[in-house]
Amino acid sequence: MMINLIYVAFGGAVGAVLRYVTGLGVLRLAGGGFPLAIITVNILGSFLMGLLVVMAAKRGFDHLNPLILTGVLGGFTTFSAFSLETVTLIEKGQNMAALAYVLISVIGSILALALGVWLARGVWA
């Protein structure tokens, strides 16, 4: 258990650095008018999650999931985990649950952020 926590912490640090560097690279190439850096990280991280989750299972490297999937990809973008959970629900034939998961996650997260901004502006204005 403790070694998995160390793997997740180390992988998360690596993933966060990779997200930051990728974001800087995209900003330098494309500019900053549209959140292209975040879109790039989310799509790339989701692609890598799909690729690596299958490769790990096929090759017997599931023991590295805390380091690679949860740690590195989780630090790179949590959107990859969101994408994996959505596809897993769809593959299980739970299409309505997948739709609900997507809608609740996206709308709920945006509303929660807006509420946090509203509260912070009211309290610390």
Side-chain angles (χ1 to χ4, degrees):
M1 176 64 166
M2 188 61 172
I3 192 67
N4 283 344
L5 292 176
I6 293 168
Y7 286 160
V8 170
F10 177 74
V14 170
V17 169
L18 290 172
R19 178 182 63 232
Y20 181 74
V21 169
T22 302
L24 287 178
V26 170
L27 283 173
R28 285 189 182 169
L29 289 173
F34 187 75
L36 191 57
I38 297 301
I39 290 172
T40 300
V41 165
N42 286 342
I43 292 172
L44 179 58
S46 295
F47 169 75
L48 291 173
M49 178 68 83
L51 189 71
L52 295 174
V53 76
V54 171
M55 287 176 58
K58 281 188 172 186
R59 303 200 193 261
F61 292 124
D62 289 336
H63 63 284
L64 295 176
N65 286 354
L67 173 66
I68 304 297
L69 301 182
T70 305
V72 174
L73 288 179
F76 188 64
T77 172
T78 57
F79 201 81
S80 58
F82 167 76
S83 300
L84 177 62
E85 294 294 336
T86 303
V87 169
T88 299
L89 286 170
I90 293 168
E91 287 180 340
K92 289 180 179 178
Q94 298 176 336
N95 294 340
M96 291 308 294
L99 179 62
Y101 178 63
V102 168
L103 292 175
I104 292 167
S105 294
V106 172
I107 294 169
S109 295
I110 291 169
L111 290 174
L113 184 132
L115 177 62
V117 167
W118 179 75
L119 286 172
R121 287 181 177 157
V123 171
W124 294 290

